[in-house]
Amino acid sequence: EPEVTQTPSHQVTQMGQEVILRCVPISNHLYFYWYRQILGQKVEFLVSFYNNEISEKSEIFDDQFSVERPDGSNFTLKIRSTKLEDSAMYFCASSRRGQGAGELFFGEGSRLTVL
Amino acid sequence: AQRVTQPEKLLSVFKGAPVELKCNYSYSGSPELFWYVQYSRQRLQLLLRHISRESIKGFTADLNKGETSFHLKKPFAQEEDSAMYYCALNHRGSTLGRLYFGRGTQLTVWP
């Protein structure tokens, strides 16, 4: 069964450094998402991406964040200058359809630790 | 504003006992409600959605608009049901993927 894959599984970085988290969505999916979960808190929406552009973003997704689909398979989340509060588990997800389908397929997550 | 509340952080039952995981939401429009589950060392995955009105792994959930609830129920819990359960809401008009999650309930089913 196809799965969403994420790399790295864990990354440790210094505050102020740039980080890129990578995701390979399921191949026939058209909608891509990033969520994050700070330890002990809720899973929070960051951004959705469709047709090579952002379709919606949350208030968390400020100018230090960006997403890109550099080729036909990868979907990346870049954090330009990491802060301590960016430490979290970042989940990539994809879905086949837009409105009404309801099922997101999640990756296993990338744990980011900012020191 | 949309909000999903799962009042129990932890829930323990014995095998064979009924289980109910509570979920309440606040949203003024017509919501779409989901239950996602995360088994130990596995990824988050969809368990069921209210529009399907289906039973998955013996679990059911009914949307009660009057009480703004979407509780997850199973009449006879099994050890393999032990997992983290997340209630989630998507409001119509939003891009599909903007789910609002509750904080989750860790269910432990004892033998």
Side-chain angles (χ1 to χ4, degrees):
Chain A
E1 187 175 328
E3 294 179 330
V4 175
T5 58
Q6 290 186 241
T7 54
S9 56
H10 189 191
Q11 181 155 357
V12 181
T13 190
Q14 295 289 327
M15 192 169 56
Q17 295 296 305
E18 176 182 283
V19 161
I20 297 177
L21 305 178
R22 292 182 167 77
C23 170
V24 179
I26 294 173
S27 62
N28 63 347
H29 286 188
L30 300 177
Y31 298 80
F32 314 118
Y33 315 90
W34 284 101
Y35 283 76
R36 79 171 186 191
Q37 186 176 30
I38 295 171
L39 189 63
Q41 298 188 25
K42 295 183 179 184
V43 176
E44 303 173 291
F45 170 82
L46 291 177
V47 66
S48 59
F49 192 87
Y50 169 70
N51 201 25
N52 275 322
E53 59 183 22
I54 290 173
S55 51
E56 189 170 353
K57 59 183 181 180
S58 72
E59 52 283 354
I60 301 169
F61 195 88
D62 61 22
D63 291 345
Q64 69 160 342
F65 290 94
S66 62
V67 289
E68 193 178 30
R69 187 153 163 83
D71 52 43
S73 60
N74 290 284
F75 178 52
T76 61
L77 174 70
K78 182 192 290 186
I79 309 175
R80 225 175 307 281
S81 176
T82 50
K83 305 171 190 168
L84 295 176
E85 54 265 36
D86 294 329
S87 294
M89 181 72 92
Y90 288 81
F91 295 104
C92 176
S94 67
S95 64
R96 256 193 314 251
R97 293 174 283 162
Q99 199 75 328
E103 182 167 12
L104 300 190
F105 292 81
F106 284 86
E108 293 185 307
S110 293
R111 181 169 297 285
L112 176 64
T113 303
V114 182
L115 302 177
Chain B
Q2 301 84 0
R3 178 176 289 180
V4 177
T5 303
Q6 293 179 252
E8 303 135 331
K9 195 171 181 180
L10 302 170
L11 183 62
S12 294
V13 299
F14 284 102
K15 177 182 171 181
V19 63
E20 180 179 67
L21 293 91
K22 291 184 167 46
C23 173
N24 289 91
Y25 67 90
S26 60
Y27 175 60
S28 56
S30 293
E32 295 178 2
L33 276 298
F34 308 90
W35 278 98
Y36 278 78
V37 62
Q38 188 171 27
Y39 300 102
S40 179
R41 288 185 288 279
Q42 293 188 30
R43 62 192 67 209
L44 202 56
Q45 57 187 282
L46 179 68
L47 180 62
L48 54 79
R49 68 197 86 176
H50 90 270
I51 57 172
S52 300
R53 302 184 66 80
E54 57 199 345
S55 173
I56 302 292
K57 300 184 179 182
F59 284 98
T60 58
D62 291 317
L63 179 61
N64 186 323
K65 291 186 178 180
E67 296 183 357
T68 60
S69 68
F70 187 57
H71 303 327
L72 183 67
K73 301 177 185 178
K74 185 169 183 177
F76 307 103
Q78 302 300 313
E79 290 176 68
E80 56 265 29
D81 296 328
S82 296
M84 183 69 113
Y85 290 81
Y86 294 95
C87 183
L89 176 153
N90 174 246
H91 64 90
R92 298 184 198 276
S94 168
T95 180
L96 163 72
R98 182 160 192 171
L99 294 175
Y100 296 85
F101 283 88
R103 68 173 181 171
T105 298
Q106 178 67 50
L107 173 66
T108 302
V109 181
W110 299 105

